[in-house]
Amino acid sequence: MPLSRPPLERMLRIHQAIQSGRFPNASTLARELEVSTKSIHRDIEFMRDRLELPVEYDGGRFGYHYTGEVGAFPTLQITEGELFALIVAEKALQQYRGTHFEKPLLSAIRKMEQSLPDTISVSLSEFEQTISFRTRAEPILDLDIFNALAQATAQRRQLELTYRKPGTQQTEQRLVDPYHLANINGEWFLFAYDHARKDVRTFVPARVKAAKRTGKTFDRPQTFSLEERLRNSFGVHSGEGHYDVVLRFDPRVADYVREKKWHESQELRELKNGGVELRLRLSGLAEIERWVLSWGGDATVVAPAELAAAVRRAAEKILGRSVAG
C-alpha cells in the first residue's frame, strides 16, 4: 500500500485542483493522491466546515468548485507577540535536551514555523540572536532511565527501581507507582507511591540506577495533586509541621529578594535601613535552612528559633572545617 500524504498537504493539493477550474471529483482526486474517496470526502468537509472555504459539488459538471473568490489556501495566522512566545518556547527546550521530549517538541515548533506566512516568519532570525536560556548547573541524567521513567509515568506502569540512597553508594530496590515527573527550578523529580513505605515519596532520577517494569499497571488517585503536596514546602520536600519563618536581608542583597516570588505565602516588609524582611509559612525547615546559608552573612533568621539554631550549627561546622584546613 502506498504511503498517504499528510492531511494538510492533501488539502492543499485539493485546493489547487479546485482553484484550477477543472471541477475535480472525489474519484479523480483519490487516484491522484493515492488515498480512498472517503479520505477525500473528509478532507473536503474539513475545508468547508473548519477552514470556511466555499467549496461545493456541481452536479452538472460532476466535480467540486468554489462558489466565491478564494485568494489563497488558509495558513496559520499568528501575531508578532505569539511568534515571540514561540521562539522563547523553543529556546526553553534546552532543559529538555537529550530527553525523549526534545524531538517531538522541536518537530511541532518547526511545523508551526514553516506554516507561518512569509511576511512574519522573516522575524525568526532576529529573535534567534536576541534570546537565550542559561542554567547554572545542568542535571546529569541517564537518558535511557529518564525516558523509561517518563514513559512509565505517562502509561501508568508500575516500576521496580534500583535506587541509590542519598549520601551513600548503596542501592536498594523500591517498588513504585510513578505518579508525576516534574522539573522544579531546573531539577527533575519523580513523585511516586512507594509500596514499602505506603506513601508518596520523592525520587531523584539521577539516583535511579535501573528501572524495570513489573508488568502491572495502576490507577493514579484522583486525590493526588502535586500543587497541593508542595503548597507549604520551600522546594520539593513537604513536611508535616507548621512554621512561621521570618528572615531579614541586608540592603546589599535586598533588591534580589524583592525581585522574585520565592513562595506562595511570602510577605515582604521594607526595613528602615534599606533591607527587607521576608515572612513565609512552611511545612518543613531543611530546604529553607540551605537557602539561608546560601546568602552568607547577608541573611539573618529572626524566627523560628529551631531554624536559627540549625543555621548557626551549620555555619560553625563550615567555619571549623575552614580553620582545620
Side-chain angles (χ1 to χ4, degrees):
M1 293 293 293
L3 295 175
S4 62
R5 292 178 172 83
L8 184 59
E9 182 183 345
R10 285 203 311 269
M11 285 186 275
L12 180 57
R13 293 280 298 276
I14 292 170
H15 160 75
Q16 292 170 343
I18 296 173
Q19 191 81 313
S20 70
R22 57 186 177 90
F23 287 83
N25 57 40
S27 297
T28 57
L29 289 169
R31 285 195 298 272
E32 291 176 10
L33 300 176
E34 300 178 304
V35 295
S36 67
T37 55
K38 286 184 178 180
S39 294
I40 298 299
H41 286 305
R42 284 196 297 267
D43 290 343
I44 290 177
E45 286 177 7
F46 187 91
M47 293 169 65
R48 181 177 57 243
D49 300 336
R50 301 289 294 277
L51 300 182
E52 299 183 349
L53 290 169
V55 57
E56 297 291 344
Y57 184 80
D58 188 320
R61 301 291 297 271
F62 303 103
Y64 292 99
H65 69 116
Y66 284 138
T67 58
E69 183 177 351
V70 177
F73 187 77
T75 56
L76 178 66
Q77 300 298 313
I78 190 169
T79 67
E80 189 166 345
E82 291 168 335
L83 174 63
F84 182 82
L86 180 64
I87 301 304
V88 170
E90 182 176 356
K91 292 292 186 179
L93 286 180
Q94 291 179 12
Q95 64 182 311
Y96 302 107
R97 183 169 58 249
T99 71
H100 82 292
F101 301 125
E102 181 184 22
K103 287 186 178 179
L105 284 171
L106 282 176
S107 175
I109 287 176
R110 291 304 181 195
K111 286 178 182 178
M112 286 188 282
E113 289 175 353
Q114 291 165 6
S115 300
L116 295 174
D118 293 338
T119 54
I120 195 168
S121 62
V122 70
S123 302
L124 286 173
S125 59
E126 298 174 9
F127 286 135
E128 280 285 330
Q129 303 300 319
T130 56
I131 302 171
S132 66
F133 282 75
R134 294 289 183 270
T135 56
R136 183 179 60 185
E138 183 177 338
I140 299 175
L141 296 171
D142 183 315
L143 297 181
D144 290 335
I145 289 178
F146 182 84
N147 290 341
L149 297 178
Q151 291 173 11
T153 302
Q155 298 168 7
R156 301 182 183 182
R157 295 186 179 276
Q158 189 181 86
L159 291 173
E160 183 178 351
L161 304 181
T162 301
Y163 192 69
R164 181 176 62 79
K165 299 170 66 174
T168 74
Q169 293 303 314
Q170 298 177 353
T171 60
E172 58 184 359
Q173 301 304 115
R174 308 283 285 268
L175 183 64
V176 303
D177 297 340
Y179 285 173
H180 192 95
L181 192 63
N183 187 288
I184 301 174
N185 296 326
E187 300 285 341
W188 286 102
F189 298 93
L190 174 68
F191 296 85
Y193 179 79
D194 188 318
H195 284 262
R197 278 74 175 175
K198 299 187 183 304
D199 193 12
V200 176
R201 295 298 174 92
T202 305
F203 296 88
V204 178
R207 297 176 190 157
V208 177
K209 299 304 179 182
K212 183 175 68 175
R213 291 186 179 183
T214 66
K216 296 181 180 180
T217 58
F218 63 89
D219 292 324
R220 186 183 300 111
Q222 294 183 352
T223 55
F224 175 77
S225 168
L226 184 63
E227 181 179 353
E228 288 297 324
R229 181 176 179 81
L230 300 181
R231 182 176 298 279
N232 292 321
S233 70
F234 193 70
V236 297
H237 298 291
S238 57
E240 297 181 356
H242 300 280
Y243 300 96
D244 290 321
V245 175
V246 182
L247 308 173
R248 288 180 181 169
F249 295 86
D250 291 347
R252 192 163 70 96
V253 299
D255 276 343
Y256 295 104
V257 178
R258 294 186 187 101
E259 292 165 358
K260 288 186 179 181
K261 184 175 182 179
W262 302 99
H263 193 264
E264 293 293 332
S265 67
Q266 79 176 42
E267 297 175 9
L268 291 176
R269 184 172 71 89
E270 296 298 326
L271 302 177
K272 292 181 178 180
N273 67 350
V276 66
E277 182 179 273
L278 174 66
R279 292 176 173 265
L280 308 167
R281 290 181 294 278
L282 303 178
S283 60
L285 297 177
E287 290 171 312
I288 192 71
E289 176 191 334
R290 290 192 290 269
W291 187 67
V292 170
L293 287 166
S294 73
W295 292 95
D298 293 314
T300 302
V301 179
V302 178
E306 52 262 59
L307 176 59
V311 169
R312 185 180 300 109
R313 286 193 300 270
E316 290 172 350
K317 192 173 182 179
I318 293 171
L319 179 60
R321 286 178 177 174
S322 299
V323 172

